[in-house]
Amino acid sequence: MSFQVHGKDLLGRIGTIKTKSGAFATPHMFPVLDPHHRILGREFFDRVGIQAVMTNAYLLKRGLQGLDPVDVHRTLDYPGSVATDSGAYQILEYGHVGVTPEEIVGYQEKINTDIGVILDVPTGFRSDPSRARWTVDETVRRADRALEVITRRDILWVGPVQGGVHLEEVERSARQMAKRDFAIYALGSPTELMETQRYDVLVDMIIAAKKALPSGRPFHLFGAGHPVLFPFLVALGCDLFDSAAYALYARAGRYLTSEGTLLLGDMVEFACTCPVCVDAKPKDFMTSRDKEADTRLVQHNLWTCFSELRRIREAIRRGRLWEMLELRSHAHPALKQCFDRVCQHSGMLERSTPAVKPHGIFYLGSSSDSRPEKLRFASRLTGSVEVRRKFVLVLPGRWRRPYHEDPRYESVAKTFDDHPKVSVCFYSLIWGPVPIELDETFPIAQTEGPDTGGPSALRERARTVSEFLQNLHPKGVILVLDGPYGRAVKAELSKAFAKRSLTVLNGELLKPDTLVKSIEKELVRNA
Ligand SMILES: [Zn+2]
């Protein structure tokens, strides 16, 4: 088994998984194929760039009752990597399955699967804590039995994590499975949460599992197949998904987009330019509600899923996955809720986000305040000003970055940068207080953001500047005021500092050399 990671952002990563039948890129969604009803050929998969598919070993076994097992690649007419599910979902649906855990492992070996799943017991959505505990324990028992009977080590075996919505059980399950050597770990039974749009719970479940699992192994989320969720799921560390939603949705005339689902019957034009949509109109798909039209919708749905995965991989390469989450969070209130919950876990996301990225970041308002780079900045802030100097010179941090190179204040900043009694700090609308010591650290100077904001945004940010300065306990503060934000900072500092220890100079009126002279005069006066 080899899983190589080529790029990271948040908990998301781009990687390659190698199986005995080939390699494929992650994040990846295994399209789940019905072994008895093939609607897409391998030419189509090649064209979309789908290099791994999934089918259900249990349904395969049941359909071929009495017959000898056949290589699953032959059954599906698909030479690439094939993953097989064990029938756990059928347990969830029907309560029991007519095969033993040992049989289903043996069967997956006989049909020469590339990625196999042990027969776990899904917890489901409605299980109470004691039932959840039992499903976790039973899955662990089955994992141990499966590991004993597995003979083929060239198959990548998946260890499922259960626990449902009971987070302590999810974490316990993940800890138990982590002790057992599986090539891939997976989280079970999120389908109902997705159908009911309880994405907040789903986010917590994924985090609970990820915390306890080895980070070097791929992480699979069972049954996730809607592209709107992909960016969030990848950002939380999901490398793999599997779903038949692309086909099930198509059967109901539902057209997938990266912002949500549309009903074919409500549409007049296609915005999508995938090969099936580019020359067609929704009514073409509608009027011939035959097999061919059905296939076109299936194809579009898969194109959409895979183009979203490509977009996510590009976002990871550029270090812009957070921006993608912010964008997608505006597509639907449920996604906003999902995003807000992701924000609550940004400490964990911070630990795996690269310290330096190939591109700067975008600051898009308060939704960007939870991004890892901001948390990292806040943690550096307190220790950044090493020497507690007597005075703080507070300069505007405007559009020009690094702030100390702003043509209007460059000479002022340079004059006092090494002054033994003065600390220089900028007030930035994006970052709040930026000590000159941090001015050139990534991504302070590389961030694109607004230069101005509403009164409450200015006030809120000015307050963070004031709080930072108060913690430095300076003898005097010299504020160079510029623009509405400068006035907001002045208002906050006036509240926090005594009149005699606060000096305000108007940066809009005074020339740089006059500013320097005025500041020097202040230092002498207060010496
Ligand atoms: Zn399309």
Side-chain angles (χ1 to χ4, degrees):
M1 151 73 179
S2 90
F3 175 49
Q4 279 188 328
V5 175
H6 314 297
K8 285 185 190 177
D9 196 16
L10 311 178
L11 286 167
R13 47 204 184 174
I14 307 173
T16 311
I17 292 181
K18 267 193 198 139
T19 74
K20 60 183 165 55
S21 298
F24 59 95
T26 65
H28 176 73
M29 182 193 87
F30 298 103
V32 175
L33 310 182
D34 182 344
H36 308 300
H37 180 66
R38 290 210 330 261
I39 42 178
L40 299 169
R42 61 198 246 200
E43 307 72 34
F44 174 76
F45 293 127
D46 283 348
R47 196 164 174 210
V48 184
I50 297 171
Q51 288 159 327
V53 300
M54 189 180 235
T55 194
N56 189 305
Y58 166 70
L59 295 181
L60 208 57
K61 187 173 187 321
R62 204 181 57 177
L64 298 172
Q65 234 156 21
L67 301 172
D68 285 338
V70 179
D71 188 314
V72 70
H73 302 86
R74 212 168 91 204
T75 312
L76 298 176
D77 184 27
Y78 185 79
S81 299
V82 177
T84 44
D85 195 3
S86 58
Y89 186 72
Q90 281 65 36
I91 297 188
L92 194 64
E93 290 277 282
Y94 314 117
H96 65 88
V97 177
V99 286
T100 65
E102 289 84 352
E103 275 176 324
I104 205 75
V105 164
Y107 188 74
Q108 291 181 88
E109 292 191 341
K110 282 187 202 131
I111 62 173
N112 193 29
T113 192
D114 297 302
I115 299 173
V117 185
I118 65 155
L119 190 63
D120 54 332
V121 189
T123 309
F125 185 37
R126 282 173 200 81
S127 295
D128 60 24
S130 69
R131 166 80 191 169
R133 200 174 312 126
W134 180 82
T135 59
V136 167
D137 291 336
E138 181 59 20
T139 297
V140 170
R141 274 192 288 276
R142 289 176 175 205
D144 287 337
R145 267 156 67 197
L147 289 170
E148 275 169 31
V149 299
I150 284 170
T151 59
R152 288 192 62 176
R153 284 284 156 193
D154 57 345
I155 293 173
L156 307 183
W157 292 98
V158 179
V161 170
Q162 290 298 340
V165 299
H166 306 282
L167 301 179
E168 64 295 348
E169 287 301 323
V170 174
E171 205 176 325
R172 189 171 70 89
S173 178
R175 267 201 311 273
Q176 287 299 322
M177 296 311 280
K179 290 181 199 157
R180 289 151 177 89
D181 187 24
F182 286 99
I184 296 169
Y185 294 91
L187 179 63
S189 43
T191 317
E192 284 159 305
L193 289 173
M194 288 188 270
E195 281 166 2
T196 50
Q197 299 193 327
R198 291 302 310 275
Y199 304 143
D200 49 341
V201 184
L202 181 63
V203 169
D204 289 346
M205 281 168 62
I206 295 169
I207 289 286
K210 284 291 291 186
K211 261 193 233 163
L213 290 172
S215 61
R217 299 283 162 92
F219 181 73
H220 181 126
L221 183 67
F222 281 126
H226 201 304
V228 289
L229 276 183
F230 287 172
F232 298 95
L233 302 175
V234 171
L236 293 167
C238 301
D239 305 295
L240 300 167
F241 315 104
D242 68 281
S243 180
Y246 68 96
L248 301 174
Y249 275 55
R251 218 173 285 161
R254 296 167 76 157
Y255 182 93
L256 295 183
T257 80
S258 50
E259 285 99 33
T261 310
L262 302 171
L263 277 174
L264 206 52
D266 293 342
M267 298 172 73
V268 178
E269 289 180 86
F270 288 138
C272 175
T273 54
C274 83
V276 282
C277 295
V278 70
D279 306 319
K281 288 213 153 51
K283 70 169 168 35
D284 305 336
F285 283 28
M286 292 296 290
T287 46
S288 60
R289 289 249 38 165
D290 55 11
K291 202 165 167 280
E292 190 210 339
D294 232 24
T295 310
R296 280 192 285 181
L297 192 46
V298 170
Q299 291 185 353
H300 158 82
N301 284 350
L302 269 182
W303 275 112
T304 302
C305 291
F306 281 83
S307 100
E308 187 65 4
L309 291 171
R310 290 179 197 177
R311 201 173 287 133
I312 291 168
R313 286 198 289 268
E314 277 297 288
I316 293 175
R317 286 182 192 111
R318 295 157 58 84
R320 293 266 168 83
L321 190 54
W322 185 275
E323 282 84 345
M324 195 171 177
L325 301 190
E326 290 202 52
L327 191 66
R328 289 284 185 263
S329 73
H330 290 276
H332 192 280
L335 295 172
K336 178 70 173 66
Q337 201 181 339
C338 180
F339 175 74
D340 289 346
R341 191 56 70 105
V342 172
C343 290
Q344 290 181 16
H345 297 289
S346 58
M348 191 160 157
L349 272 53
E350 189 270 322
R351 290 194 280 280
S352 57
T353 299
V356 178
K357 292 181 164 188
H359 299 273
I361 61 169
F362 293 156
Y363 180 81
L364 303 166
S366 59
S367 59
S368 302
D369 281 332
S370 301
R371 60 177 305 151
E373 292 83 0
K374 287 223 69 178
L375 295 194
R376 199 171 284 159
F377 175 73
S379 69
R380 276 191 203 148
L381 193 54
T382 34
S384 62
V385 186
E386 284 168 27
V387 190
R388 296 286 156 94
R389 295 178 187 174
K390 282 184 179 164
F391 297 91
V392 189
L393 172 60
V394 188
L395 295 175
R398 302 192 306 158
W399 53 274
R400 181 64 179 264
R401 292 173 308 268
Y403 297 128
H404 71 264
E405 285 177 12
D406 182 340
R408 197 189 284 175
Y409 299 106
E410 190 177 9
S411 60
V412 183
K414 273 211 179 109
T415 307
F416 297 100
D417 187 12
D418 291 322
H419 194 289
K421 287 184 183 165
V422 181
S423 295
V424 177
C425 180
F426 300 94
Y427 54 96
S428 146
L429 199 50
I430 299 167
W431 302 95
V434 178
I436 200 164
E437 291 85 344
L438 294 183
D439 189 23
E440 282 185 293
T441 58
F442 184 86
I444 312 295
Q446 293 82 4
T447 303
E448 297 290 332
D451 276 343
T452 185
S456 65
L458 297 184
R459 198 163 47 236
E460 186 275 323
R461 202 52 101 219
R463 213 170 282 152
T464 65
V465 176
S466 172
E467 280 163 14
F468 175 71
L469 296 179
Q470 288 171 60
N471 284 331
L472 297 179
H473 305 291
K475 188 177 172 197
V477 174
I478 303 160
L479 169 70
V480 175
L481 184 152
D482 195 324
Y485 181 38
R487 284 187 279 283
V489 173
K490 181 191 166 195
E492 290 303 319
L493 294 186
S494 306
K495 281 188 236 167
F497 291 93
K499 215 170 183 179
R500 57 187 163 72
S501 61
L502 176 65
T503 306
V504 180
L505 302 170
N506 193 327
E508 289 166 86
L509 298 178
L510 302 173
K511 289 205 168 78
D513 46 343
T514 321
L515 271 176
V516 169
K517 277 183 200 134
S518 308
I519 294 164
E520 276 167 346
K521 214 192 286 175
E522 266 315 302
L523 296 176
V524 172
R525 189 175 70 81
N526 275 298

